[in-house]
Amino acid sequence: MDRMMTTSVLKVLFFTSITLTAIPVNANPTPNIISEYNEAVVGDDAKVESAYQSLVQLIEQQGAKPLSLVYLGSTQTLQGREAFLPWKKMKYTEQGLATIDKGLSMLDTLPLDVDQQQRIQGLPEGYLSQVMAAVTYTSLPTMFNHFDRGYDLYLTLLSEPTFIQQPFGATAWVYRDAIQAALQAGDMSQAQQWLAVMQQFDSHHNETQIAMALIAKQS
């Protein structure tokens, strides 16, 4: 009887271990994937497809997280940027926007306490997901009507006390991009407010200097 019970327990443990190893770990993009993406953004055509394939493989193998979906969606919009035919530009970009929306809709699956979230690029993954969505939305051609949505994301995120408390070394580029969006929106007052925040953190930081130059150019 004891031997039968022992055998049963071992079987349960065996099948349980199989089940556990089959559960996706829901990984965020790796530094290498993010590097590929960044190179694609600045115009390396080959990296667009490489980043896309890397993100698809990551999601297929380890499951989707908000950040991985936002990066995938942004990469799909880059495929739209590189496409030659107008209908393909529309197709890829619209697919990308839908993928980003799916990623943002999953933000509530992350821990409410940002300190319990994984940090990517120095930021909690939920914050970086929103930032990358904002970056993508505000960089698209106006025909896609997503600029206002992206700018609203900046306005909301950069007013959150917990975001403001993040290390400036990790948020400086976000403020700079937000200022660029504010200038594009004709919102000089907001751009100057964000610059004042950057100057309080570190007036000599490279991103602060870039932001100052952007505003001076528009003044």
Side-chain angles (χ1 to χ4, degrees):
M1 186 69 174
D2 290 341
R3 183 177 179 181
M4 291 178 60
M5 289 180 64
T6 301
T7 302
S8 298
V9 170
L10 288 174
K11 285 183 178 180
V12 170
L13 291 174
F14 175 73
F15 286 113
T16 300
S17 66
I18 292 178
T19 303
L20 288 173
T21 55
I23 295 174
V25 297
N26 302 93
N28 283 308
T30 64
N32 285 341
I33 292 177
I34 292 175
S35 178
E36 282 184 330
Y37 168 86
N38 289 337
E39 291 177 45
V41 169
V42 296
D44 189 333
D45 298 353
K47 292 297 182 180
V48 175
E49 186 61 24
S50 176
Y52 172 77
Q53 294 297 338
S54 295
L55 286 160
V56 168
Q57 184 177 34
L58 174 73
I59 292 169
E60 286 180 347
Q61 293 181 350
Q62 304 196 45
K65 293 199 78 175
L67 187 60
S68 57
L69 286 171
V70 170
Y71 265 102
L72 176 61
S74 188
T75 304
Q76 288 172 311
T77 69
L78 295 179
Q79 289 178 313
R81 182 193 70 185
E82 301 301 324
F84 178 73
L85 298 174
W87 68 269
K88 281 195 172 183
K89 286 182 178 291
M90 292 291 294
K91 174 187 174 183
Y92 285 129
T93 303
E94 289 174 354
Q95 286 177 341
L97 292 173
T99 305
I100 292 173
D101 283 347
K102 184 176 180 181
L104 294 179
S105 72
M106 291 175 60
L107 285 173
D108 61 0
T109 65
L110 300 175
L112 289 177
D113 184 351
V114 296
D115 290 332
Q116 295 180 13
Q117 296 178 17
Q118 184 179 357
R119 284 186 177 269
I120 310 292
Q121 304 288 92
L123 288 173
E125 56 189 298
Y127 283 159
L128 186 56
S129 298
Q130 295 172 73
V131 169
M132 293 309 301
V135 169
T136 304
Y137 291 158
T138 55
S139 64
L140 290 174
T142 55
M143 63 182 290
F144 291 103
N145 298 314
H146 267 67
F147 178 85
D148 288 345
R149 187 176 179 190
Y151 189 44
D152 284 344
L153 278 172
Y154 281 128
L155 289 169
T156 300
L157 189 60
L158 271 62
S159 65
E160 287 190 15
T162 309
F163 180 86
I164 297 171
Q165 293 167 7
Q166 299 302 308
F168 186 61
T171 63
W173 69 275
V174 181
Y175 281 101
R176 183 253 301 154
D177 276 4
I179 286 172
Q180 195 163 15
L183 294 173
Q184 189 176 340
D187 194 351
M188 176 61 78
S189 175
Q190 183 60 71
Q192 292 173 331
Q193 288 179 44
W194 282 332
L195 175 60
V197 174
M198 296 182 76
Q199 290 173 322
Q200 288 178 353
F201 278 121
D202 186 350
S203 60
H204 300 292
H205 195 285
N206 185 55
E207 295 290 6
T208 306
Q209 295 297 312
I210 293 173
M212 290 173 63
L214 288 172
I215 290 178
K217 188 176 180 180
Q218 294 291 322
S219 299

